[in-house]
Amino acid sequence: DFVMTQSPDSLAVSLGERATINCKSSQNVLYSSNNKNFLAWYQQKPGQPPKLLIYWASTRDSGVPDRFSGSGSGTDFTLTISSLQAEDVAVYYCQQYYTTPLTFGGGTKVEIK
Amino acid sequence: QVQLVESGGGVVQPGGSLRLSCAASGFTFGSYDMHWVRQAPGKGLEWVAFIRYDESYKYYTDSVKGRFTVSRDNSKDTLYLQMNSLRTEDTAVYYCAKGVAMFSAWGISHDAFDVWGQGTMVTVSS
């Protein structure tokens, strides 16, 4: 199975500051035939289902604010919130969809400092 | 609007059975692959099962193989998860989720999930 490891487990960031979350896959999720990384990011607020933020490692889903960005390739990926807003307090998960079993990282909790 | 609504959760004894349903609306259900994802209390997300838009492929995580069965009725816009031989470790909120691409365009089971239901709680306890 592809193991997805996120870091840190939690972070506290001041309003307006940058938040950076890392995700490392145990195996390459870059598919050579289309040169795409099969990696997504989700946001989950308390009591709510997850919300898709980014797929193909860097493509924002419809309606996602542009302060959210994804980067990386192969096995190492980053989700960046460029200017943290109060409504961004949540747990963030990465997920690989390269192969089954589809697997998620353990989550990173983002709080306001 | 695009919506998924799960039902069928509840409290069941170990070894028991439950059938979850997920009613879809606001999109062409029969054109999209669907998944079940679960989340144990206070824990992270775990993918459980996949079914292709035409039911031609089904995949499961190892821990539920032989116990859970995913199915769909495209005429009723509904996804199902039949859960048998339930264990305490199956206790979780179960979400149904829609794959992003139509007709497995990203490849069979190669899915991110762009629509999620609110979830239904399954508690396995004696």
Side-chain angles (χ1 to χ4, degrees), chain A residues 15-95:
Chain A
L15 288 172
E17 295 300 306
R18 179 184 300 261
T20 301
I21 300 168
N22 300 302
C23 175
K24 186 174 184 66
S25 175
S26 63
Q27 299 181 63
N28 183 20
V29 301
L30 175 63
Y31 197 47
S32 57
S33 66
N34 61 7
N35 201 36
K36 288 182 179 290
N37 288 282
F38 283 47
L39 190 285
W41 289 97
Y42 300 85
Q43 175 193 65
Q44 187 178 31
K45 297 180 179 180
Q48 296 184 19
K51 173 188 175 182
L52 177 64
L53 295 176
I54 286 170
Y55 55 92
W56 298 134
S58 60
T59 301
R60 273 188 299 276
D61 195 26
S62 175
V64 174
D66 61 7
R67 65 180 180 273
F68 292 93
S69 64
S71 62
S73 186
T75 61
D76 292 281
F77 300 89
T78 299
L79 175 69
T80 301
I81 310 172
S82 60
S83 176
L84 191 75
Q85 305 299 304
E87 61 265 32
D88 301 334
V89 169
V91 178
Y92 293 83
Y93 295 93
C94 61
Q95 175 228 338

Side-chain angles (χ1 to χ4, degrees), chain A residues 1 38 40 42 44 47-52 55-56 61 93 95-106, chain B residues 35 37 39 43-47 50 59-62 95 100 106 108-114 116-119:
Chain A
D1 297 1
F38 283 47
Y42 300 85
Q44 187 178 31
Q48 296 184 19
K51 173 188 175 182
L52 177 64
Y55 55 92
W56 298 134
D61 195 26
Y93 295 93
Q95 175 228 338
Q96 66 80 18
Y97 49 97
Y98 186 93
T99 188
T100 56
L102 308 181
T103 48
F104 294 86
Chain B
H35 299 254
V37 177
Q39 187 169 33
K43 302 298 184 182
L45 300 167
E46 180 186 24
W47 171 80
F50 156 84
Y59 299 132
Y60 303 90
T61 192
D62 281 350
Y95 296 102
V100 174
W106 290 4
I108 298 172
S109 82
H110 293 298
D111 277 328
F113 314 124
D114 63 346
W116 297 66
Q118 286 296 313

Side-chain angles (χ1 to χ4, degrees), chain B residues 44-114:
Chain B
L45 300 167
E46 180 186 24
W47 171 80
V48 173
F50 156 84
I51 184 167
R52 202 181 185 202
Y53 63 92
D54 59 1
E55 284 196 276
S56 58
Y57 289 85
K58 301 178 183 181
Y59 299 132
Y60 303 90
T61 192
D62 281 350
S63 64
V64 309
K65 283 179 183 174
R67 301 189 299 123
F68 290 12
T69 302
V70 61
S71 62
R72 64 192 295 161
D73 186 338
N74 288 344
S75 69
K76 296 182 177 179
D77 293 344
T78 303
L79 174 72
Y80 303 100
L81 186 67
Q82 177 66 45
M83 304 186 296
N84 298 330
S85 303
L86 281 161
R87 305 168 179 168
T88 55
E89 55 264 36
D90 296 319
T91 294
V93 174
Y94 285 72
Y95 296 102
C96 59
K98 169 187 165 292
V100 174
M102 295 179 70
F103 302 122
S104 305
W106 290 4
I108 298 172
S109 82
H110 293 298
D111 277 328
F113 314 124
D114 63 346

